[in-house]
Amino acid sequence: SPSSTTQRPHSSRMPRTTPQPLLALAAALLSVASAQTPSAGVPSDVKHIRCETCESLVSAAHRRFAELRKGSKKALSEEDAMSVVETVCDPEADGGAWLRSLDLQEQGRRLRLVKQAEDGPCGVECATLRLACQALMEEGWENELDEALYGAVDADELAESACREWSSACRKPAPKLDPARPAGPPFRAYTQEERAARLGG
């Protein structure tokens, strides 16, 4: 027989919705969080970029120490040079900011470092550059680099010494890329929201 249970009338309340400004803010914060999440590099690419990474890190360290020296009211010490070298492979530090503005580009059978007009989040290619930088520093010539920076050795002369004498990075051509290697991702600069968030709003 039919049920005699009394049915409740449907609620006329509208479902809750999140205001659009909050959705936009959440999306921006999520974008920034994903941009700041460390990416894993590609270890197999390191051997292809050792020389250019060496030259780039030496140039970046030389430039950073020269900037500090120019902006300081007192004479810098060798410890100041050491601090530059210690952060040169950290993309989130001033000394390692150079890592965020390089793109790895396949040019024929070679993998080249190409400077970009703007910096961007440290994705897979930046992380690969970090691996290459760290591997070079682990060869044990940090002290020589410290002393050369402190002694104001010319940048080109320093790169020649570092990458051909202290390190073997540039003593012979880099190996050719495997034709089956997939191309890397395109370079992405920071969005305006990401850049504003990095600068503290």
Side-chain angles (χ1 to χ4, degrees):
S1 64
S3 171
S4 61
T5 304
T6 304
Q7 294 185 349
R8 295 181 181 178
H10 292 294
S11 173
S12 60
R13 289 186 299 176
M14 296 293 290
R16 292 183 181 180
T17 58
T18 304
Q20 288 298 322
L22 288 180
L23 286 174
L25 177 60
L29 290 174
L30 182 62
S31 175
V32 171
S34 63
Q36 293 178 341
T37 301
S39 296
V42 182
S44 58
D45 278 351
V46 169
K47 61 181 176 292
H48 299 288
I49 57 173
R50 287 184 72 232
C51 179
E52 289 191 15
T53 301
C54 183
E55 292 172 338
S56 295
L57 83 85
V58 170
S59 175
H62 189 280
R63 184 170 58 252
R64 177 63 183 156
F65 191 69
E67 290 170 354
L68 292 176
R69 179 172 268 160
K70 184 177 180 180
S72 177
K73 294 181 179 179
K74 61 182 181 65
L76 297 184
S77 66
E78 193 167 342
E79 286 72 25
D80 294 314
M82 289 173 61
S83 68
V84 169
V85 174
E86 287 171 355
T87 61
V88 75
C89 297
D90 180 358
E92 296 306 319
D94 289 339
W98 61 280
L99 292 160
R100 300 195 311 270
S101 61
L102 289 172
D103 186 29
L104 294 183
Q105 295 183 5
E106 297 80 7
Q107 297 181 7
R109 297 282 301 278
R110 302 292 185 192
L111 192 58
R112 309 302 301 271
L113 278 60
V114 181
K115 183 80 167 66
Q116 303 298 296
E118 295 183 289
D119 60 344
C122 190
V124 173
E125 295 189 338
C126 167
T128 302
L129 285 162
R130 179 177 59 208
L131 288 177
C133 182
Q134 291 170 339
L136 287 162
M137 289 289 89
E138 287 169 3
E139 292 177 352
W141 43 274
E142 303 101 315
N143 290 341
E144 288 87 343
L145 185 55
D146 295 341
E147 293 169 2
L149 292 178
Y150 182 65
V153 174
D154 175 77
D156 291 337
E157 180 183 342
L158 178 54
E160 180 73 20
S161 296
C163 304
R164 287 173 174 77
E165 295 176 20
W166 308 336
S167 171
S168 62
C170 295
R171 290 180 193 169
K172 59 182 181 180
K176 293 182 179 180
L177 290 172
D178 184 336
R181 175 190 174 277
F187 182 85
R188 182 176 82 79
Y190 284 119
T191 64
Q192 290 183 344
E193 291 80 7
E194 289 168 344
R195 200 173 296 282
R198 286 183 63 83
L199 296 174

